[in-house]
Amino acid sequence: MSARWTKQFDVLGLGCTAVDDLLYVPCFPAADEKMRVEGTTRRFGGLTGAALVAASRLGARCAYAGCLGTDELSSYVAGYLGQEGVDISRAPRVPQGRVVHSIVVVGMDTGSRNVFFEGSGMIGAHDTEPGDEVLRACRVLFIDQWGMAGNLRAARVARLAGTAVVADFEDAGSPLFREVLDVVDHLVLGEKFAREITGQRDAAGAARALWRADRKAVIVTCGARGCWSLSAERGRAAVHHPALAVKATDTTGCGDVFHGAYAASLAQGVTLEGRIRFAAAAAALKARKGEIPRLAEVQKLLRVRLGSVGAWRTEKRRGISEHRPPDLSGSKRKPSTTL
């Protein structure tokens, strides 16, 4: 095979990036009350952006090729991605490009949060960029609901090239939503949205309703209650996967971390069970620490949790052959600068 078509990236993301300004309060006040803010911080975020940073920290070679502007927030995003080892050389910089800006209020008593966001201008996937050769040069394409015309084009090119398409959707307002949804072969959605678009009463029912014969996996995440999956490996049987129990301090971005960890391990050929276990551990650490974890931290948590006799026997009873966390430590290589 020509070097032109070698897989240059493990995960290529096209969706939204964001700047989150977090305000920490002791607890959420009632309406019309005042409360002192205990602390503030600025963080990088976005459905695709945070997933890419998580995947990069977990050992994957990542690139962002969605729109960026020339404004201060876009410059912050570009700088942050570069510091995290995410290639941005394919991201179109256009005057009308923007990133999502969010105010996130975090209740310190429970770790829960409310997000208030604004998004205007050209956000997420560009209609015609990156070129097909870039889309064919990745193992996993990651998309969300921002820039749906570009997402549809890119997902079709990726599927024809045999590239896995992982999606994180939170809004079905685009006229192209159903077309894009049908092209995704690894669909990972939060329970609330999955139930909304399927009309199902529970996560398992939503996962079954979202299954298609040409998908590889459907996963509906339920936070501390774990997740439900359907896969080509197991037919139409909905399988529950428990979450790793931790004391949460900040749940902001836990779903994004789950997605990024899933994409990173998918790019390495890990089984579905292993991908979900790895992603759940990464999300649990994010909830406990408030920061996106590194690979060594996730591997350590999995060794501790799966190293007990009880966990080992449970895995044996379920017939799972892959007990160990995926080893991505040797997979990250500096992306080449040419295709």
Side-chain angles (χ1 to χ4, degrees), residues 118-148:
E118 56 181 347
S120 60
M122 186 177 290
I123 299 174
H126 190 279
D127 287 356
T128 60
E129 297 186 48
D132 290 5
E133 69 278 7
V134 176
L135 297 169
R136 296 189 186 106
C138 64
R139 291 186 171 88
V140 176
L141 177 68
F142 192 97
I143 63 174
D144 56 37
Q145 73 263 14
W146 296 86
M148 289 300 256

Side-chain angles (χ1 to χ4, degrees), residues 48-261:
T48 293
L52 286 176
V53 170
S56 181
R57 289 191 179 189
L58 296 171
R61 299 169 300 164
C62 298
Y64 179 66
C67 293
L68 291 175
T70 57
D71 59 307
E72 183 270 331
L73 291 177
S74 293
S75 296
Y76 173 85
V77 165
Y80 189 92
L81 286 172
Q83 291 175 3
E84 290 289 344
V86 178
D87 187 293
I88 60 167
S89 63
R90 278 78 178 173
R93 302 295 291 265
V94 293
Q96 65 271 39
R98 294 292 184 272
V99 302
V100 176
H101 183 216
S102 301
I103 304 296
V104 183
V105 182
V106 180
M108 299 172 67
D109 55 340
T110 63
S112 59
R113 85 283 191 231
N114 284 333
V115 181
F116 306 87
F117 73 93
E118 56 181 347
S120 60
M122 186 177 290
I123 299 174
H126 190 279
D127 287 356
T128 60
E129 297 186 48
D132 290 5
E133 69 278 7
V134 176
L135 297 169
R136 296 189 186 106
C138 64
R139 291 186 171 88
V140 176
L141 177 68
F142 192 97
I143 63 174
D144 56 37
Q145 73 263 14
W146 296 86
M148 289 300 256
N151 285 329
L152 181 59
R153 178 192 71 87
R156 285 173 171 169
V157 171
R159 289 296 301 274
L160 286 173
T163 296
V165 179
V166 176
D168 179 10
F169 298 129
E170 292 184 345
D171 184 272
S174 169
L176 296 175
F177 174 75
R178 290 291 171 179
E179 285 187 74
V180 178
L181 183 70
D182 289 347
V183 184
V184 175
D185 59 341
H186 291 263
L187 187 60
V188 186
L189 301 180
E191 178 184 15
K192 181 175 182 293
F193 182 67
R195 290 172 58 191
E196 284 177 0
I197 63 173
T198 61
Q200 297 295 312
R201 299 179 61 182
D202 55 42
R208 283 190 286 266
L210 290 165
W211 177 254
R212 290 168 52 101
D214 57 351
R215 292 206 208 277
K216 297 295 177 58
V218 173
I219 300 169
V220 176
T221 61
C222 307
R225 293 183 287 110
C227 66
W228 288 86
S229 75
L230 271 78
S231 70
E233 302 168 13
R234 298 190 178 189
R236 292 182 57 85
V239 178
H240 180 254
H241 309 262
L244 294 178
V246 296
K247 180 176 175 54
T249 61
D250 182 1
T251 60
T252 306
C254 287
D256 304 331
V257 170
F258 186 101
H259 280 83

